[in-house]
Amino acid sequence: MFRASPRGLLDFVATALCLWAAAWHTPVGALGRGVVAKVSGATSSARPLLAYFSGGVYDAREVELPRLEPMPGPEAPLPGAAPVSAGDALGHGVYAVLSRPGTTSRAEALGARYGLGPPDSPLAVATLVARARDELGSDEAAVLALFVGPEVAGYATARARAEGAAPTLEVLARQLPPGRSSALEAASQALMFGTAFGLSWPVAPGTRITSPFGLRAHPTLGRQQLHTGVDLSVPEGTPVKVVAAGVVRRASEDAVNGKVVIVDHGRGVTTAYCHNSRLLVTAGQHVEAGQAVSVSGNTGRSTGPHLHYQLELGRRPVDPLRFRGRGGAVGGLVPASPGPRLPEPATGRRALEEAFERAGRPPEDTEVPP
Amino acid sequence: MHSVEPTGRLAQVSGLFGLFRWGFMPLGLFALVSVGVHAAADVIDEHLLTLVDGLDAWADARLAAFEATAAWVDRVGPFERTVVARALALAWELAVAVLVAAPQLGYRELNEVERRLSWVKDAWRAPWLRLLRAPTPARLLRPAVTAVFAAGGAYALARLVEATLFVTLQSDVASPPVAEAVARGGGWVALALVVGRLGWRAVLRALEHADAACEAALKRAAPAWPVGLVGAVVALPLAVALVLQSQALLALVR
């Protein structure tokens, strides 16, 4: 038993703050709101309980893929891929989200603030993101600024850094008040797409695709089944190069996928490489873009030597060819560093050379398109 | 605890709220600890995902070895692994909320008349003496983990108040630097208010609850040390995870 205070205003205010925080930011509160809604016959606005662990970003919901040019059919070789900088790839990703009907953003206001034109093309968006990155210090904050404004993104970045945390979107999201879920969702999809557009290819561009992504009759089981990646026809012993920097999430073997490597690239992007003959990395290891992570083979449930390459966005498998447009619009080798800086964005080989100077040159055997 | 007593009309209003302390104080304590427990669960969910990934790899290797179970290998993909990891984090959080936060709902206060009639003068004194004389896991760990969760909850709440104030003020009312200064002040006030009015009560209530459980065991002639052991084992990793993130508290002074 505690001694009662005859007064209660301060205690009531403290209690109200705690109840507000618990009701809106914890699964326990969501359960409570659900019960109250059920009793009162109202509709609860609480999120699903498991969504309270994602911060509302890179969530495992269905990802609405950006519209791109038609992908090559089965047996068709991949188009030649021109190099694209990380900045340009991010511009493509953000543009894909901005151009969706119904998306509200502050991109135009941000462009006007920097004296730039309307964000009506991937290049214009890339320029805008680069300017915001110069001001805010990270791609995540720059993209967030397009949807919540630069002041709020700058505030979230400053507070994240004060906590000693890297300003990832998850960390920035924790610094924002409630009611920003649609902006965070848009920013996280833009970053996911931007990262996916910047991925290189695990084997030589032009490698034949023997089985595309999508429903197919399984070659050994016979039944219709979703093929969650693309099968690339490579002879056994071909080095498999990771398509972007990341952390190895899994390096294991089973009788279905064979020797498999899964790499987490951050921003909700994961890639998997299956049916290898040898693994060159271990779980938890950090890998750089272009680093060989395995040697291709014919292990597991496989009818011949090939590499099964799988791309996952928001923990859903998606067609990796959707992020490699025709005519070299996107795809190819990606410098693992910020893209071109304003005011004079470099292009083509010069951009690549500058990026190599900043981030280091890839190993000699990495493919560099002409 | 010294506080400035309100005067005049404010005192009347405060007195009016004081009539309902029996209703809102337990809820406030429960909510504070729950917010802290969630902050801790949010820290461990990524670690749980790594664990689930490892378990899935282990299970895949075994399931794929037999034709009858090989088809199950592809049933658990990244989405399912994430759901399982988050469900584990949620279950863990709810378990700790039941074991550590729910006892806060038993918070009771004595008014002055009751206090004069009761032989109990200070809630914390007798349990504190018993804690020193006969420490048990429950008496030691329950207040400690509650203190960690209350601190984590208070910090999460202060961050929420600060962000809300900044976003509200900077759009129309004040320039961003002014809004940031006001928001920082608001966050500090919220932190001080919650810690000063609720935080210490939550810790003492946890001690009181653990002590009562130990005493009840002794009255049944049962040993007191196993009391609350399960709760401590379940809650301790979450509390440790939160303590390991305590560098974030430095943001208060940066």
Side-chain angles (χ1 to χ4, degrees):
Chain A
M1 292 286 186
F2 289 74
R3 182 180 176 182
S5 164
R7 307 190 199 285
L9 184 58
L10 285 179
D11 290 331
F12 180 78
V13 172
T15 294
L17 285 173
C18 290
L19 286 173
W20 169 62
W24 291 93
H25 295 277
T26 68
V28 172
L31 280 171
R33 286 164 64 196
V35 169
V36 170
K38 190 122 188 160
V39 169
S40 63
T43 306
S44 173
S45 60
R47 288 180 281 164
L49 294 182
L50 298 186
Y52 286 85
F53 293 94
S54 68
V57 301
Y58 309 136
D59 216 343
R61 277 179 283 178
E62 200 65 55
V63 176
E64 186 190 335
L65 291 177
R67 287 195 181 84
L68 292 177
E69 293 173 52
M71 60 182 179
E75 306 295 325
L78 271 174
V84 59
S85 72
D88 285 349
L90 193 53
H92 274 86
V94 176
Y95 180 74
V97 174
L98 286 177
S99 56
R100 274 185 196 158
T103 301
T104 55
S105 81
R106 306 197 178 197
E108 285 199 18
L110 197 61
R113 173 188 166 122
Y114 295 139
L116 300 171
D120 53 4
S121 71
L123 187 62
V125 173
T127 306
L128 181 58
V129 171
R131 285 293 291 268
R133 182 176 57 228
D134 285 345
E135 182 184 343
L136 299 169
S138 72
D139 283 338
E140 278 80 358
V143 172
L144 185 62
L146 294 178
F147 298 98
V148 299
E151 292 84 7
V152 175
Y155 164 82
T157 304
R159 299 316 299 150
R161 292 209 166 114
E163 286 188 351
T168 61
L169 195 60
E170 293 100 319
V171 171
L172 297 178
R174 283 206 295 267
Q175 306 294 337
L176 297 180
R180 298 287 182 282
S181 56
S182 58
L184 283 169
E185 194 175 319
S188 63
Q189 291 213 358
L191 283 162
M192 267 196 294
F193 293 162
T195 305
F197 278 127
L199 299 177
S200 62
W201 205 239
V203 290
T207 300
R208 188 172 295 279
I209 296 168
T210 51
S211 183
F213 179 95
L215 272 179
R216 67 168 184 180
H218 195 280
T220 56
L221 300 175
R223 61 170 179 259
Q224 284 285 105
Q225 196 170 321
L226 177 69
H227 187 223
T228 53
V230 291
D231 287 348
L232 300 167
S233 174
V234 287
E236 277 195 60
T238 306
V240 175
K241 293 166 184 172
V242 67
V243 295
V247 176
V248 178
R249 187 128 223 159
R250 180 191 285 201
S252 61
E253 180 178 11
D254 62 70
V256 174
N257 296 305
K259 291 184 175 170
V260 56
V261 177
I262 299 177
V263 180
D264 187 346
H265 304 287
R267 296 178 181 170
V269 179
T270 309
T271 53
Y273 314 83
C274 304
H275 307 301
N276 299 287
S277 62
R278 197 151 54 93
L279 304 181
L280 306 176
V281 292
T282 54
Q285 184 179 336
H286 183 87
V287 290
E288 294 298 333
Q291 180 180 334
V293 291
S294 61
V295 177
S296 76
N298 187 26
T299 57
R301 190 173 276 166
S302 169
T303 54
H306 75 283
L307 170 69
H308 173 92
Y309 169 55
Q310 184 166 321
L311 169 64
E312 288 151 8
L313 298 186
R315 300 182 177 95
R316 296 272 193 191
V318 297
D319 186 355
L321 293 180
R322 297 291 293 268
F323 294 90
R324 287 173 71 80
R326 279 187 185 279
V330 290
L333 188 69
V334 183
S337 69
R341 297 283 172 162
L342 294 175
E344 292 178 32
T347 55
R349 177 164 287 280
R350 206 179 103 225
L352 198 60
E353 290 298 329
E354 286 179 4
F356 285 161
E357 278 175 27
R358 284 194 298 274
R361 191 168 287 277
E364 281 301 314
D365 59 346
T366 303
E367 304 141 14
V368 180
Chain B
M1 188 97 207
H2 297 284
S3 61
V4 178
E5 292 294 323
T7 55
R9 195 172 294 267
L10 195 59
Q12 288 176 351
V13 173
S14 193
L16 188 65
F17 277 106
L19 296 175
F20 301 98
R21 294 175 62 83
W22 58 270
F24 65 74
M25 286 298 284
L27 285 176
L29 295 170
F30 172 75
L32 173 63
V33 178
S34 295
V35 172
V37 172
H38 178 62
D42 210 10
V43 171
I44 57 141
D45 74 317
E46 274 300 310
H47 300 291
L48 286 174
L49 182 56
T50 304
L51 182 73
V52 171
D53 272 342
L55 281 175
D56 185 45
W58 179 85
D60 281 355
R62 272 131 199 93
L63 291 174
F66 306 100
E67 195 56 42
T69 53
W72 296 357
V73 169
D74 288 333
R75 293 227 177 125
V76 177
F79 174 77
E80 289 77 15
R81 287 196 293 272
T82 306
V83 167
V84 168
R86 287 182 184 166
L88 284 175
L90 175 66
W92 200 343
E93 176 181 342
L94 293 179
V96 176
V98 167
L99 292 166
V100 178
Q104 299 291 329
L105 292 170
Y107 175 88
R108 294 288 177 269
E109 290 181 341
L110 295 174
N111 62 34
E112 277 304 308
V113 176
E114 289 168 330
R115 189 167 174 269
R116 270 189 226 112
L117 295 174
S118 170
W119 60 274
V120 178
K121 297 300 177 193
D122 287 303
W124 57 271
R125 197 177 295 276
W128 175 251
L129 290 174
R130 281 195 288 270
L131 166 67
L132 295 177
R133 203 175 57 235
T136 63
R139 283 181 179 135
L140 285 168
L141 291 175
R142 284 301 177 89
V145 297
T146 303
V148 171
F149 293 138
Y155 176 68
L157 188 142
R159 190 168 60 185
L160 202 56
V161 168
E162 186 181 325
T164 304
L165 279 174
F166 175 80
V167 172
T168 307
L169 294 175
Q170 65 86 30
S171 55
D172 299 318
V173 181
S175 64
V178 172
E180 188 166 352
V182 173
R184 294 294 300 278
W188 268 102
V189 169
L191 183 77
L193 183 66
V194 169
V195 171
R197 304 304 304 180
L198 298 180
W200 64 273
R201 283 188 167 95
V203 176
L204 287 184
R205 166 61 196 152
L207 175 61
E208 183 188 51
H209 177 256
D211 180 69
C214 290
E215 288 300 296
L218 289 172
K219 276 182 189 164
R220 294 194 307 269
W225 67 266
V227 173
L229 206 54
V230 172
V233 167
V234 171
L236 200 56
L238 284 192
V240 170
L242 203 52
V243 168
L244 293 176
Q245 294 289 312
S246 59
Q247 59 164 7
L249 292 173
L250 292 174
L252 292 167
V253 292
R254 284 175 179 161

Short mmCIF file of all heavy atoms in Angstrom, two decimals, chain A residues 94-136:
data_model
loop_
_atom_site.label_atom_id
_atom_site.label_comp_id
_atom_site.label_asym_id
_atom_site.label_seq_id
_atom_site.Cartn_x
_atom_site.Cartn_y
_atom_site.Cartn_z
N VAL A 94 12.79 6.15 -56.59
CA VAL A 94 11.93 7.18 -56.01
C VAL A 94 10.90 7.63 -57.05
O VAL A 94 9.71 7.82 -56.73
CB VAL A 94 12.77 8.38 -55.53
CG1 VAL A 94 11.87 9.49 -55.01
CG2 VAL A 94 13.73 7.94 -54.44
N TYR A 95 11.35 7.76 -58.30
CA TYR A 95 10.43 8.20 -59.35
C TYR A 95 9.29 7.20 -59.52
O TYR A 95 8.14 7.57 -59.75
CB TYR A 95 11.19 8.38 -60.66
CG TYR A 95 10.32 8.82 -61.81
CD1 TYR A 95 9.86 10.13 -61.88
CD2 TYR A 95 9.95 7.93 -62.81
CE1 TYR A 95 9.04 10.54 -62.92
CE2 TYR A 95 9.13 8.33 -63.86
CZ TYR A 95 8.68 9.63 -63.90
OH TYR A 95 7.87 10.02 -64.93
N ALA A 96 9.64 5.91 -59.43
CA ALA A 96 8.61 4.87 -59.56
C ALA A 96 7.51 5.03 -58.52
O ALA A 96 6.34 4.81 -58.80
CB ALA A 96 9.25 3.49 -59.43
N VAL A 97 7.88 5.46 -57.32
CA VAL A 97 6.88 5.64 -56.26
C VAL A 97 6.16 6.98 -56.44
O VAL A 97 4.93 7.06 -56.32
CB VAL A 97 7.56 5.56 -54.87
CG1 VAL A 97 6.57 5.91 -53.76
CG2 VAL A 97 8.12 4.17 -54.65
N LEU A 98 6.93 8.03 -56.77
CA LEU A 98 6.33 9.35 -56.92
C LEU A 98 5.30 9.38 -58.06
O LEU A 98 4.31 10.11 -57.98
CB LEU A 98 7.40 10.40 -57.22
CG LEU A 98 8.31 10.83 -56.06
CD1 LEU A 98 9.36 11.81 -56.55
CD2 LEU A 98 7.49 11.46 -54.95
N SER A 99 5.55 8.59 -59.09
CA SER A 99 4.68 8.65 -60.26
C SER A 99 3.43 7.80 -60.10
O SER A 99 2.58 7.76 -61.00
CB SER A 99 5.45 8.21 -61.51
OG SER A 99 6.00 6.93 -61.31
N ARG A 100 3.29 7.13 -58.97
CA ARG A 100 2.07 6.36 -58.74
C ARG A 100 0.90 7.31 -58.50
O ARG A 100 1.06 8.30 -57.79
CB ARG A 100 2.22 5.52 -57.48
CG ARG A 100 2.86 4.22 -57.67
CD ARG A 100 2.81 3.51 -56.35
NE ARG A 100 3.73 2.41 -56.34
CZ ARG A 100 4.21 1.87 -55.23
NH1 ARG A 100 3.88 2.36 -54.07
NH2 ARG A 100 5.03 0.87 -55.29
N PRO A 101 -0.26 7.00 -59.04
CA PRO A 101 -1.42 7.85 -58.75
C PRO A 101 -1.73 7.83 -57.26
O PRO A 101 -1.66 6.78 -56.63
CB PRO A 101 -2.56 7.19 -59.55
CG PRO A 101 -1.92 6.20 -60.44
CD PRO A 101 -0.57 5.87 -59.91
N GLY A 102 -2.05 8.98 -56.74
CA GLY A 102 -2.45 9.06 -55.34
C GLY A 102 -1.31 9.23 -54.36
O GLY A 102 -1.55 9.43 -53.17
N THR A 103 -0.07 9.19 -54.84
CA THR A 103 1.06 9.39 -53.92
C THR A 103 1.22 10.88 -53.65
O THR A 103 1.32 11.68 -54.57
CB THR A 103 2.37 8.84 -54.54
OG1 THR A 103 2.20 7.46 -54.80
CG2 THR A 103 3.54 9.05 -53.59
N THR A 104 1.22 11.22 -52.38
CA THR A 104 1.44 12.62 -52.02
C THR A 104 2.87 12.76 -51.53
O THR A 104 3.37 11.94 -50.77
CB THR A 104 0.47 13.08 -50.92
OG1 THR A 104 0.61 12.18 -49.82
CG2 THR A 104 -0.96 13.08 -51.39
N SER A 105 3.52 13.80 -52.00
CA SER A 105 4.90 14.01 -51.58
C SER A 105 5.18 15.51 -51.50
O SER A 105 4.36 16.33 -51.88
CB SER A 105 5.86 13.37 -52.59
OG SER A 105 6.03 14.22 -53.69
N ARG A 106 6.34 15.82 -50.99
CA ARG A 106 6.78 17.21 -50.92
C ARG A 106 7.92 17.44 -51.90
O ARG A 106 8.73 18.32 -51.72
CB ARG A 106 7.23 17.52 -49.51
CG ARG A 106 6.15 17.18 -48.49
CD ARG A 106 6.39 17.83 -47.18
NE ARG A 106 5.30 17.48 -46.29
CZ ARG A 106 5.03 18.12 -45.19
NH1 ARG A 106 5.76 19.13 -44.83
NH2 ARG A 106 4.03 17.75 -44.42
N ALA A 107 7.96 16.59 -52.94
CA ALA A 107 9.08 16.66 -53.88
C ALA A 107 9.11 17.99 -54.62
O ALA A 107 10.19 18.58 -54.80
CB ALA A 107 8.99 15.50 -54.86
N GLU A 108 7.95 18.48 -55.02
CA GLU A 108 7.95 19.74 -55.78
C GLU A 108 8.41 20.89 -54.91
O GLU A 108 9.19 21.75 -55.34
CB GLU A 108 6.55 20.00 -56.34
CG GLU A 108 6.25 19.10 -57.53
CD GLU A 108 5.12 19.62 -58.39
OE1 GLU A 108 4.78 20.81 -58.29
OE2 GLU A 108 4.58 18.82 -59.17
N ALA A 109 7.91 20.92 -53.67
CA ALA A 109 8.33 21.99 -52.75
C ALA A 109 9.82 21.89 -52.47
O ALA A 109 10.53 22.92 -52.39
CB ALA A 109 7.54 21.89 -51.45
N LEU A 110 10.30 20.67 -52.35
CA LEU A 110 11.73 20.48 -52.09
C LEU A 110 12.55 20.93 -53.30
O LEU A 110 13.60 21.58 -53.17
CB LEU A 110 12.00 19.01 -51.78
CG LEU A 110 13.33 18.68 -51.12
CD1 LEU A 110 13.46 19.36 -49.77
CD2 LEU A 110 13.47 17.16 -50.96
N GLY A 111 12.05 20.61 -54.52
CA GLY A 111 12.73 21.05 -55.73
C GLY A 111 12.78 22.56 -55.81
O GLY A 111 13.82 23.15 -56.16
N ALA A 112 11.66 23.21 -55.48
CA ALA A 112 11.62 24.68 -55.52
C ALA A 112 12.60 25.26 -54.50
O ALA A 112 13.27 26.27 -54.77
CB ALA A 112 10.20 25.16 -55.23
N ARG A 113 12.71 24.62 -53.37
CA ARG A 113 13.63 25.09 -52.32
C ARG A 113 15.08 25.07 -52.82
O ARG A 113 15.87 25.95 -52.47
CB ARG A 113 13.47 24.18 -51.11
CG ARG A 113 14.44 24.38 -49.97
CD ARG A 113 14.22 23.23 -48.99
NE ARG A 113 15.29 23.13 -48.03
CZ ARG A 113 15.13 23.20 -46.72
NH1 ARG A 113 13.95 23.42 -46.22
NH2 ARG A 113 16.14 23.05 -45.92
N TYR A 114 15.41 24.05 -53.64
CA TYR A 114 16.77 23.95 -54.17
C TYR A 114 16.92 24.63 -55.53
O TYR A 114 17.98 24.52 -56.15
CB TYR A 114 17.15 22.47 -54.31
CG TYR A 114 17.24 21.73 -52.99
CD1 TYR A 114 16.74 20.44 -52.88
CD2 TYR A 114 17.83 22.30 -51.88
CE1 TYR A 114 16.83 19.74 -51.67
CE2 TYR A 114 17.92 21.62 -50.68
CZ TYR A 114 17.41 20.35 -50.58
OH TYR A 114 17.50 19.68 -49.39
N GLY A 115 15.87 25.27 -56.03
CA GLY A 115 15.94 25.92 -57.33
C GLY A 115 15.99 24.94 -58.48
O GLY A 115 16.58 25.23 -59.53
N LEU A 116 15.39 23.76 -58.28
CA LEU A 116 15.38 22.74 -59.33
C LEU A 116 13.99 22.67 -59.97
O LEU A 116 13.01 23.16 -59.40
CB LEU A 116 15.74 21.37 -58.75
CG LEU A 116 17.11 21.27 -58.09
CD1 LEU A 116 17.26 19.93 -57.37
CD2 LEU A 116 18.22 21.43 -59.13
N GLY A 117 13.92 22.06 -61.13
CA GLY A 117 12.66 21.92 -61.83
C GLY A 117 11.79 20.85 -61.18
O GLY A 117 12.18 20.24 -60.18
N PRO A 118 10.62 20.62 -61.76
CA PRO A 118 9.72 19.59 -61.20
C PRO A 118 10.33 18.19 -61.33
O PRO A 118 11.05 17.92 -62.30
CB PRO A 118 8.46 19.72 -62.06
CG PRO A 118 8.90 20.39 -63.31
CD PRO A 118 10.05 21.27 -62.95
N PRO A 119 10.06 17.34 -60.38
CA PRO A 119 10.63 15.98 -60.41
C PRO A 119 9.87 15.08 -61.37
O PRO A 119 9.21 14.13 -60.96
CB PRO A 119 10.49 15.52 -58.96
CG PRO A 119 9.30 16.27 -58.45
CD PRO A 119 9.24 17.57 -59.19
N ASP A 120 9.96 15.38 -62.66
CA ASP A 120 9.13 14.69 -63.63
C ASP A 120 9.88 13.62 -64.43
O ASP A 120 9.41 13.15 -65.46
CB ASP A 120 8.49 15.70 -64.59
CG ASP A 120 9.53 16.61 -65.21
OD1 ASP A 120 10.73 16.39 -64.95
OD2 ASP A 120 9.15 17.55 -65.93
N SER A 121 11.06 13.27 -63.99
CA SER A 121 11.80 12.18 -64.64
C SER A 121 12.73 11.55 -63.61
O SER A 121 13.05 12.19 -62.60
CB SER A 121 12.63 12.73 -65.81
OG SER A 121 13.70 13.50 -65.31
N PRO A 122 13.16 10.31 -63.87
CA PRO A 122 14.09 9.68 -62.92
C PRO A 122 15.35 10.50 -62.70
O PRO A 122 15.85 10.60 -61.58
CB PRO A 122 14.40 8.33 -63.57
CG PRO A 122 13.21 8.04 -64.40
CD PRO A 122 12.73 9.36 -64.92
N LEU A 123 15.84 11.13 -63.78
CA LEU A 123 17.07 11.92 -63.64
C LEU A 123 16.83 13.15 -62.76
O LEU A 123 17.66 13.50 -61.91
CB LEU A 123 17.57 12.34 -65.03
CG LEU A 123 18.94 13.03 -65.04
CD1 LEU A 123 20.02 12.10 -64.50
CD2 LEU A 123 19.29 13.51 -66.44
N ALA A 124 15.68 13.81 -62.98
CA ALA A 124 15.36 14.99 -62.16
C ALA A 124 15.21 14.60 -60.69
O ALA A 124 15.67 15.32 -59.79
CB ALA A 124 14.06 15.63 -62.66
N VAL A 125 14.62 13.45 -60.45
CA VAL A 125 14.46 12.98 -59.07
C VAL A 125 15.82 12.63 -58.48
O VAL A 125 16.10 12.94 -57.30
CB VAL A 125 13.51 11.76 -59.02
CG1 VAL A 125 13.47 11.17 -57.62
CG2 VAL A 125 12.11 12.16 -59.43
N ALA A 126 16.68 12.01 -59.29
CA ALA A 126 18.02 11.67 -58.79
C ALA A 126 18.78 12.93 -58.40
O ALA A 126 19.48 12.97 -57.37
CB ALA A 126 18.79 10.91 -59.87
N THR A 127 18.62 13.98 -59.20
CA THR A 127 19.27 15.25 -58.88
C THR A 127 18.73 15.81 -57.57
O THR A 127 19.48 16.28 -56.71
CB THR A 127 19.02 16.26 -60.02
OG1 THR A 127 19.45 15.67 -61.25
CG2 THR A 127 19.78 17.54 -59.79
N LEU A 128 17.42 15.75 -57.42
CA LEU A 128 16.78 16.26 -56.21
C LEU A 128 17.24 15.48 -54.97
O LEU A 128 17.57 16.07 -53.93
CB LEU A 128 15.26 16.16 -56.38
CG LEU A 128 14.38 16.66 -55.24
CD1 LEU A 128 14.67 18.11 -54.94
CD2 LEU A 128 12.91 16.47 -55.60
N VAL A 129 17.28 14.16 -55.11
CA VAL A 129 17.71 13.33 -53.99
C VAL A 129 19.17 13.62 -53.64
O VAL A 129 19.54 13.69 -52.45
CB VAL A 129 17.50 11.83 -54.31
CG1 VAL A 129 18.14 10.95 -53.23
CG2 VAL A 129 16.02 11.50 -54.42
N ALA A 130 19.99 13.84 -54.68
CA ALA A 130 21.41 14.14 -54.42
C ALA A 130 21.55 15.45 -53.65
O ALA A 130 22.38 15.55 -52.73
CB ALA A 130 22.17 14.21 -55.74
N ARG A 131 20.73 16.45 -54.01
CA ARG A 131 20.79 17.72 -53.28
C ARG A 131 20.35 17.55 -51.83
O ARG A 131 20.96 18.09 -50.90
CB ARG A 131 19.90 18.77 -53.97
CG ARG A 131 20.50 19.32 -55.25
CD ARG A 131 21.74 20.15 -54.98
NE ARG A 131 21.46 21.40 -54.31
CZ ARG A 131 21.23 22.55 -54.93
NH1 ARG A 131 21.27 22.60 -56.25
NH2 ARG A 131 20.99 23.65 -54.25
N ALA A 132 19.27 16.80 -51.65
CA ALA A 132 18.79 16.55 -50.28
C ALA A 132 19.81 15.76 -49.48
O ALA A 132 20.00 16.00 -48.28
CB ALA A 132 17.44 15.83 -50.33
N ARG A 133 20.49 14.81 -50.15
CA ARG A 133 21.51 14.01 -49.45
C ARG A 133 22.66 14.91 -49.01
O ARG A 133 23.21 14.75 -47.91
CB ARG A 133 22.01 12.91 -50.36
CG ARG A 133 23.05 11.99 -49.70
CD ARG A 133 23.45 10.85 -50.60
NE ARG A 133 23.98 11.33 -51.85
CZ ARG A 133 23.63 10.88 -53.05
NH1 ARG A 133 22.71 9.95 -53.15
NH2 ARG A 133 24.17 11.35 -54.15
N ASP A 134 23.04 15.86 -49.86
CA ASP A 134 24.10 16.79 -49.48
C ASP A 134 23.72 17.56 -48.21
O ASP A 134 24.56 17.85 -47.37
CB ASP A 134 24.37 17.77 -50.62
CG ASP A 134 25.13 17.11 -51.76
OD1 ASP A 134 25.69 16.02 -51.53
OD2 ASP A 134 25.15 17.67 -52.87
N GLU A 135 22.43 17.89 -48.10
CA GLU A 135 21.99 18.66 -46.93
C GLU A 135 21.82 17.80 -45.70
O GLU A 135 22.20 18.20 -44.59
CB GLU A 135 20.66 19.37 -47.25
CG GLU A 135 20.16 20.23 -46.10
CD GLU A 135 18.80 20.86 -46.38
OE1 GLU A 135 18.38 20.89 -47.55
OE2 GLU A 135 18.16 21.31 -45.41
N LEU A 136 21.26 16.59 -45.91
CA LEU A 136 20.86 15.79 -44.75
C LEU A 136 21.84 14.67 -44.41
O LEU A 136 21.78 14.11 -43.32
CB LEU A 136 19.47 15.18 -45.00
CG LEU A 136 18.35 16.21 -45.21
CD1 LEU A 136 17.09 15.55 -45.72
CD2 LEU A 136 18.07 16.94 -43.90
#
